[in-house]
Amino acid sequence: IVRINYTGRLTDGTQFDTSAGREPLQFTLGTGEVIPGLDAHLEGMEPGAKSTVTIPPEAAYGPRRDDAIQTIDRAGVPPDLALEVGKQLQARTSSGALLPITVIDFDDNVVKFDANHPLAGKALVFEVELLEIVKAA
């Protein structure tokens, strides 16, 4: 179990997440609680160490998938749901799991949404500081 401070940016410098102003992130290495590339980067680091790593999409949220973009009949959306492009919603899969989706287009007849993770297909740059190893494996 480790505790880290981090800042995540896209390769163009746009920040998408940070632990600044919050409690450090605590998780168990190797259990899939964070993206694989960050997990692998932290292995072997010592408390107090700081580093920057660029993680390719394959070791982050994966490539963007065209099959994750779907169009459904507007009748399949609750009529009281106010739609807008960019709005984040949740859909229920056939197995009952919740799937985050983003509205990318709509009209009176259909709604087009994207089930890709917003960071899919992007390389991510993390500045990390390993604060402590709470419990060794």
Side-chain angles (χ1 to χ4, degrees), residues 21-67:
R22 303 189 313 228
E23 288 291 315
L25 177 63
Q26 179 173 307
F27 62 96
T28 303
L29 283 175
T31 62
E33 293 176 49
V34 297
I35 59 173
L38 184 58
D39 217 4
H41 178 73
L42 292 168
E43 284 185 31
M45 282 181 67
E46 296 293 327
K50 294 180 181 181
S51 66
T52 300
V53 60
T54 300
I55 300 171
E58 299 75 24
Y61 292 97
R64 287 193 55 76
R65 295 181 14 248
D66 290 340
D67 65 335

Side-chain angles (χ1 to χ4, degrees), residues 1-136:
I1 299 172
V2 298
R3 290 171 43 92
I4 65 168
N5 279 329
Y6 68 94
T7 298
R9 291 187 172 83
L10 302 177
T11 54
D12 68 3
T14 304
Q15 182 176 304
F16 62 84
D17 196 10
T18 184
S19 62
R22 303 189 313 228
E23 288 291 315
L25 177 63
Q26 179 173 307
F27 62 96
T28 303
L29 283 175
T31 62
E33 293 176 49
V34 297
I35 59 173
L38 184 58
D39 217 4
H41 178 73
L42 292 168
E43 284 185 31
M45 282 181 67
E46 296 293 327
K50 294 180 181 181
S51 66
T52 300
V53 60
T54 300
I55 300 171
E58 299 75 24
Y61 292 97
R64 287 193 55 76
R65 295 181 14 248
D66 290 340
D67 65 335
I69 297 174
Q70 301 286 321
T71 301
I72 62 169
D73 285 336
R74 180 73 183 251
V77 177
D80 59 336
L81 182 64
L83 292 176
E84 58 187 75
V85 172
K87 185 170 188 163
Q88 300 272 320
L89 303 172
Q90 289 185 334
R92 194 166 297 280
T93 66
S94 58
S95 67
L98 288 177
L99 176 68
I101 60 174
T102 303
V103 176
I104 56 175
D105 196 14
F106 66 94
D107 61 26
D108 291 339
N109 300 310
V110 297
V111 178
K112 188 174 186 179
F113 62 88
D114 186 349
N116 282 294
H117 187 282
L119 296 173
K122 298 181 179 177
L124 308 179
V125 180
F126 282 92
E127 295 171 14
V128 295
E129 175 184 15
L130 179 59
L131 298 174
E132 68 178 308
I133 298 172
V134 179
K135 180 181 170 186

